[in-house]
Amino acid sequence: MSVPRLSGKVQTVLGLVDPDLLGRTMTHEHLTMTFDCCYFPPPAGDEAIAENPFQMRHMHWLRQNPYGCRENLLLQQENAAVQDELLAYREAGGGAVVENTTAGIDRDLPTLKRLAENTGVHIVAGAGYYVDCTHSEATRGASVEKLTDIIVGEVLRGADGTDIRCGVIGEIGTGWPVTESEAKVLRATAQAQAQLGCPVIIHPGRDPAAPAEVVRILQEAGGDIGKTVMSHLDRTIFDEGELLEFATLGSYLEYDLFGTEMLNYPYDLTLDMPSDSQRVKTLAFLAKEGYGDKILVAHDIHTKNRLTKYGGHGYSHILRSIVPKMLMRGFSQQQVDQILIDNPKRWLTFK
Ligand SMILES: CC(=O)NCCS(=O)(=O)O
């Protein structure tokens, strides 16, 4: 099998493309995956709703308790709906999606290839491993060198027994504190990135110190932080001073939970999930502080209720609703294009 010449290109599930062809890009989505690893029991007394949630009168409950219903976690059952949503995304001006499903949450490359063929949306798939509780015994027992070889192979030759190649490493899952197995995967990620010159994307643990700790581990292992995205900052760093301190480390800064507005975030009841309006305010703050060239945005759709089929916001929410809000709040069209087109393109292009 010939090894692709990746430099200067973006690698999608349909092959290499010129970076200028991507257009508006959501850098953190899932099109098919299972999130059953992160099931969180519903509030006491709500078990009956959780058993039978997909009724109009339960939609608000589902938005507030997305992880309390097992069926809601099976996005892989919705390929037809996702295909319709991708067509709508294209219609709304979308060009590309980075699909962040890695080993442990049911990556399905043949489905991603079919979705790309049927919709014309460029889809970039992710190599590597999700959080510790999804690591197999084989992953836990493997050396950094072995994991590096596997990740490099997923980019150069194809993953999961297919010849479909990944175009980014990640989302690489980490918790707080970072476990031994997660740290090993991070070191393998950094070494694979050093070999390939490829983009990397990280899922940090839920502690304000977690993103910087991941950067430290990657850096020590030879990773390129300027070509790395720190995801989920909307639920991780809340203090502006801490955010600016993290920004100086040089990674891309991703706000990828647009559309998620919930009162009680079950994985950490001490934190307040921001609203979309608050997310836009934070983006404006980062842009004012000189980080406009580091901002990335997405929805991170990973449960069924967020699809328009179930009354959710879908993959076009940012293009249809958040962009007008940004323009109303003082962003120029050029700044919006920087976030949606230029930054993703630069990140996704192999060195
Ligand atoms: C798929 C995934 O990891 N999404 C992030 C969910 S979280 O609640 O922000 O950790």
Side-chain angles (χ1 to χ4, degrees), residues 120-137:
V121 173
H122 297 289
I123 298 175
V124 177
Y129 302 86
Y130 194 55
V131 297
D132 185 290
C133 64
T134 70
H135 291 184
S136 67
E137 282 314 308

Side-chain angles (χ1 to χ4, degrees), residues 79-192:
N79 293 342
V82 167
Q83 179 164 312
D84 288 347
E85 303 227 0
L86 284 180
L87 290 169
Y89 173 67
R90 245 193 104 184
E91 190 75 19
V97 160
V98 182
E99 216 281 355
N100 276 253
T101 306
T102 43
I105 45 176
D106 271 7
R107 179 176 51 198
D108 179 354
L109 292 166
T111 294
L112 297 188
K113 185 173 179 192
R114 205 166 41 249
L115 287 170
E117 285 166 348
N118 292 350
T119 64
V121 173
H122 297 289
I123 298 175
V124 177
Y129 302 86
Y130 194 55
V131 297
D132 185 290
C133 64
T134 70
H135 291 184
S136 67
E137 282 314 308
T139 302
R140 278 179 213 290
S143 64
V144 172
E145 292 69 30
K146 172 74 182 164
L147 293 176
T148 306
D149 284 351
I150 293 172
I151 292 172
V152 168
E154 290 181 347
V155 174
L156 293 184
R157 290 180 292 281
D160 306 335
T162 76
D163 61 359
I164 304 167
R165 293 162 176 157
C166 299
V168 303
I169 304 176
E171 62 181 300
I172 297 299
T174 60
W176 183 256
V178 176
T179 69
E180 198 182 312
S181 192
E182 288 168 348
K184 193 173 56 172
V185 169
L186 285 172
R187 292 188 189 102
T189 295
Q191 294 189 9

Side-chain angles (χ1 to χ4, degrees), residues 17-327:
V17 300
D18 186 305
D20 287 329
L21 294 179
L22 294 182
R24 296 181 187 86
T25 302
M26 298 297 133
T27 49
H28 197 130
E29 301 297 349
H30 299 270
L31 304 175
T32 173
M33 66 169 276
T34 171
F35 205 47
D36 54 3
C37 60
C38 294
Y39 172 74
F40 194 94
D46 285 358
E47 294 79 4
I49 302 177
E51 282 300 305
N52 189 13
F54 292 99
Q55 298 175 37
M56 202 58 180
R57 66 204 173 103
H58 292 160
M59 287 304 147
H60 175 72
W61 182 89
L62 210 45
R63 272 194 291 279
Q64 296 298 319
N65 301 281
Y67 310 121
C69 160
R70 291 196 186 276
E71 198 196 326
N72 196 37
L73 309 178
L74 305 177
L75 190 63
Q76 77 272 33
Q77 295 176 339
E78 300 293 342
N79 293 342
V82 167
Q83 179 164 312
D84 288 347
E85 303 227 0
L86 284 180
L87 290 169
Y89 173 67
R90 245 193 104 184
E91 190 75 19
V97 160
V98 182
E99 216 281 355
N100 276 253
T101 306
T102 43
I105 45 176
D106 271 7
R107 179 176 51 198
D108 179 354
L109 292 166
T111 294
L112 297 188
K113 185 173 179 192
R114 205 166 41 249
L115 287 170
E117 285 166 348
N118 292 350
T119 64
V121 173
H122 297 289
I123 298 175
V124 177
Y129 302 86
Y130 194 55
V131 297
D132 185 290
C133 64
T134 70
H135 291 184
S136 67
E137 282 314 308
T139 302
R140 278 179 213 290
S143 64
V144 172
E145 292 69 30
K146 172 74 182 164
L147 293 176
T148 306
D149 284 351
I150 293 172
I151 292 172
V152 168
E154 290 181 347
V155 174
L156 293 184
R157 290 180 292 281
D160 306 335
T162 76
D163 61 359
I164 304 167
R165 293 162 176 157
C166 299
V168 303
I169 304 176
E171 62 181 300
I172 297 299
T174 60
W176 183 256
V178 176
T179 69
E180 198 182 312
S181 192
E182 288 168 348
K184 193 173 56 172
V185 169
L186 285 172
R187 292 188 189 102
T189 295
Q191 294 189 9
Q193 186 184 38
Q195 285 183 40
L196 297 166
C198 67
V200 162
I201 182 162
I202 302 295
H203 165 113
R206 299 177 187 98
D207 186 283
E213 173 63 2
V214 169
V215 165
R216 186 190 67 73
I217 297 170
L218 289 173
Q219 223 155 17
E220 275 183 18
D224 180 354
I225 304 309
K227 215 158 175 56
T228 297
V229 174
M230 193 54 65
S231 304
H232 312 325
L233 286 176
D234 11 14
R235 57 91 166 129
T236 311
I237 301 183
F238 295 88
D239 177 83
E240 288 188 344
E242 287 179 36
L243 181 57
L244 288 184
E245 199 179 323
F246 177 70
T248 62
L249 300 181
S251 78
Y252 285 94
L253 309 166
E254 191 177 76
Y255 285 76
D256 50 31
L257 295 168
F258 272 98
T260 294
E261 298 195 344
M262 60 167 65
L263 210 48
N264 297 311
Y265 177 62
Y267 303 134
D268 185 348
L269 291 172
T270 67
L271 71 78
D272 290 325
M273 181 64 77
S275 66
D276 281 352
S277 297
Q278 288 168 316
R279 291 184 176 100
V280 169
K281 262 192 187 157
T282 304
L283 299 189
F285 168 71
L286 284 170
K288 179 174 73 63
E289 294 292 332
Y291 292 102
D293 61 344
K294 291 291 185 183
I295 300 170
L296 297 171
V297 293
H299 312 90
D300 186 20
I301 290 182
H302 54 279
T303 52
K304 290 187 185 185
N305 70 296
R306 297 178 66 196
L307 300 175
T308 55
K309 174 182 173 184
Y310 296 111
H313 52 77
Y315 297 94
S316 308
H317 173 58
I318 288 176
L319 297 180
R320 290 169 58 89
S321 302
I322 301 301
V323 166
K325 175 84 178 184
M326 288 170 76
L327 294 170

